[in-house]
């Protein structure tokens, strides 16, 4: 008689049946005017996967930490978030059996707070930005306090953890299977995870691939001065170590006026839309499709419009912040160097700089440990 192998049980409280819901998202052909007509580009719709785009990175970071013994079975996971990574970690925490503690700030939309709590995450909010590093540095300071008082707590450190980019290898394989050819990839840049994870495999398949980074006005990632930012999830006030500056051929900074206009045009013209990052990459992708006729252009829409109903799609919010009363830029301002001029709207530069003067990968206000540190 042949004995069956012993059954491998999931950790108590885990729901591994969620894991097959990761990825395998479709491509949509986008032809809506943004704001001009264009030949069209491809958008990968991460809103159609459970947990959105960041669930890929969150699951990769937690499984990597478990494999190395840094994250104990059932131990709490603590992370800073402006919202989207929080959803991804809530998904990964449920799937793998880990309680999730998220550090946000009072700029986090009420609907996102409700959603994160509904998914079972514990949410702590900071109410004052740090003098250096803004809300992100303030969140990391609170995060360290939680780590210090929480036994066996694990911090994935999404900004510097190499398992973040690794989580997007499957997305790269999906794109290779979905496209016969690719000339231009447009990537939003926040933690730097999905651009760092996608470009290597895609350039091995298409060596002449051009990569355009899309950042937020006021972000420090590409060597410009840090300023207060209205947009969430796009850009950074600190210097994420996962950003690979050398992979980008050029960078565009997009302002909230342009992002809102693009989001609303997407919704009206294609029935596919999202938030700040989606609007920004859609605007730049349409520009790239116009600028290089015949080129195959693709981008990633990180999430859908639902968490932005009180911001991007709310007329009162947009009016209060001057987002719908100001004409958006219809072409980027061209500058020769990131420090040549400080623009407050859509700007393009073909000189790509790492941040200075601080060491890349370190917060200007809070020293960053080795990736994936546990308290």
């Amino acid at each position: 008689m042949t004995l069956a192998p012993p059954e491998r049980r999931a950790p108590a409280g885990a729901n591994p049946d969620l894991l097959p819901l990761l990825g395998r998202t479709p491509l949509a052909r986008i032809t809506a005017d943004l704001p001009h007509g264009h030949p069209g580009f491809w958008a990968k719709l991460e809103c159609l996967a459970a947990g959105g785009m960041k669930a890929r990175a969150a699951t990769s970071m937690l499984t990597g930490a478990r494999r190395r013994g840094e994250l104990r079975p059932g131990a709490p996971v603590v992370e800073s978030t402006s919202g989207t990574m929080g959803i991804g970690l809530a998904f990964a925490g449920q799937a793998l059996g880990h309680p999730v503690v998220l550090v946000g700030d009072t700029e986090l939309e009420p609907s996102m707070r409700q959603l994160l709590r509904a998914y079972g995450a514990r949410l702590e909010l900071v109410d004052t930005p740090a003098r250096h590093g803004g809300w992100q540095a303030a969140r990391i300071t609170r995060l360290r306090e939680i780590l210090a008082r929480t036994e066996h707590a694990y911090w994935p450190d999404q900004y510097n953890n190499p398992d973040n980019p690794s989580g997007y290898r499957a997305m790269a394989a999906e794109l290779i299977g979905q496209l016969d050819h690719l000339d231009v990839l447009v990537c939003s840049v926040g933690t730097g995870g999905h651009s760092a994870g996608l470009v290597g495999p895609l350039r091995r398949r298409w060596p002449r691939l051009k990569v355009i980074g899309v950042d937020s006005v006021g972000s420090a990632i590409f060597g410009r001065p840090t300023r207060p930012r209205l947009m969430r999830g796009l850009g950074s006030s600190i210097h994420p170590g996962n950003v690979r500056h050398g992979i980008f051929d050029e960078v565009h900074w997009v302002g909230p006026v342009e992002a809102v206009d693009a989001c609303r045009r997407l919704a009206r013209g294609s029935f596919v839309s999202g938030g700040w990052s989606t609007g920004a990459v859609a605007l730049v992708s349409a520009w790239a499709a116009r600028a290089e006729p015949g080129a195959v252009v693709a981008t990633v829409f990180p999430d859908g419009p639902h968490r932005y109903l009180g911001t991007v799609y709310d007329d009162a919010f947009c009016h209060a912040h001057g987002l719908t009363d100001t004409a958006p830029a219809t072409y980027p301002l061209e500058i020769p160097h990131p420090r040549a001029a400080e623009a407050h709207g859509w700007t393009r530069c073909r000189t790509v700089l790492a941040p200075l003067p601080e060491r890349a990968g370190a917060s200007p206000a809070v020293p960053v440990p080795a990736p994936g540190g546990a308290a």
Side-chain angles (χ1 to χ4, degrees), residues 145-162:
E145 295 169 357
I146 297 170
L147 289 175
R149 65 175 187 258
T150 308
E151 188 176 11
H152 305 313
Y154 172 76
W155 176 26
D157 187 10
Q158 59 175 308
Y159 306 108
N160 301 285
N161 189 333

Side-chain angles (χ1 to χ4, degrees), residues 274-291:
W276 305 108
S277 297
T278 294
V281 295
L283 177 69
V284 176
S285 296
W287 171 89
R290 290 192 304 271

Side-chain angles (χ1 to χ4, degrees), residues 217-270:
V217 167
S219 167
I221 291 176
F222 290 100
R224 292 174 67 87
T226 304
R227 298 288 183 266
R229 291 176 291 118
L230 181 64
M231 298 194 285
R232 311 285 292 176
L234 181 65
S236 179
S237 300
I238 62 175
H239 301 153
N242 278 330
V243 176
R244 300 289 179 260
H245 295 81
I247 67 177
F248 297 101
D249 295 285
E250 62 183 77
V251 60
H252 290 234
W253 293 271
V254 175
V257 171
E258 289 80 26
V260 163
D261 180 69
C263 284
R264 293 181 170 213
R265 287 177 179 272
L266 279 173
R268 291 193 303 268
S270 67

Side-chain angles (χ1 to χ4, degrees), residues 94-356:
Q94 282 198 33
L96 301 174
H98 295 277
V100 173
V101 181
L102 300 171
V103 182
D105 57 67
T106 50
E107 297 292 307
L108 189 63
E109 305 95 327
S111 60
M112 179 54 75
R113 301 183 200 184
Q114 294 163 357
L115 190 59
L116 291 170
R117 289 172 176 139
Y119 283 138
R122 193 181 99 212
L123 185 60
E124 294 208 9
L125 300 177
V126 297
D127 57 11
T128 305
R131 183 175 179 182
H132 299 289
W135 287 114
Q136 284 169 296
R139 295 197 305 259
I140 291 173
T141 298
R142 173 70 65 84
L143 182 150
R144 291 180 182 281
E145 295 169 357
I146 297 170
L147 289 175
R149 65 175 187 258
T150 308
E151 188 176 11
H152 305 313
Y154 172 76
W155 176 26
D157 187 10
Q158 59 175 308
Y159 306 108
N160 301 285
N161 189 333
D163 287 329
N164 178 341
S166 296
Y168 296 101
R169 290 174 184 163
M171 183 192 285
E174 291 167 26
L175 284 167
I176 290 170
Q178 291 169 316
L179 293 168
D180 295 329
H181 184 71
L182 183 60
D183 297 296
V184 181
L185 178 69
V186 178
C187 291
S188 60
V189 185
T191 68
H194 89 277
S195 55
L198 289 180
V199 172
L202 294 182
R203 276 196 170 138
R204 286 191 289 273
R205 178 66 178 85
W206 297 296
R208 300 182 67 180
L209 177 68
K210 178 179 180 179
V211 180
I212 301 176
V214 180
D215 197 4
S216 167
V217 167
S219 167
I221 291 176
F222 290 100
R224 292 174 67 87
T226 304
R227 298 288 183 266
R229 291 176 291 118
L230 181 64
M231 298 194 285
R232 311 285 292 176
L234 181 65
S236 179
S237 300
I238 62 175
H239 301 153
N242 278 330
V243 176
R244 300 289 179 260
H245 295 81
I247 67 177
F248 297 101
D249 295 285
E250 62 183 77
V251 60
H252 290 234
W253 293 271
V254 175
V257 171
E258 289 80 26
V260 163
D261 180 69
C263 284
R264 293 181 170 213
R265 287 177 179 272
L266 279 173
R268 291 193 303 268
S270 67
F271 210 80
V272 169
S273 193
W276 305 108
S277 297
T278 294
V281 295
L283 177 69
V284 176
S285 296
W287 171 89
R290 290 192 304 271
E292 301 190 30
V296 178
V297 180
T299 191
V300 179
F301 287 179
D303 57 8
H306 304 93
R307 68 167 282 199
Y308 307 97
L309 298 180
T311 53
V312 171
Y313 301 96
D314 183 82
D315 290 340
F317 175 91
C318 290
H319 176 73
H321 291 86
L323 303 181
T324 49
D325 305 319
T326 304
T330 56
Y331 291 96
L333 172 68
E334 303 269 353
I335 59 174
H337 188 278
R339 301 191 187 96
E342 184 175 357
H344 298 282
W346 185 12
T347 308
R348 177 195 182 205
C349 185
R350 283 177 280 185
T351 300
V352 179
L353 290 186
L356 294 172

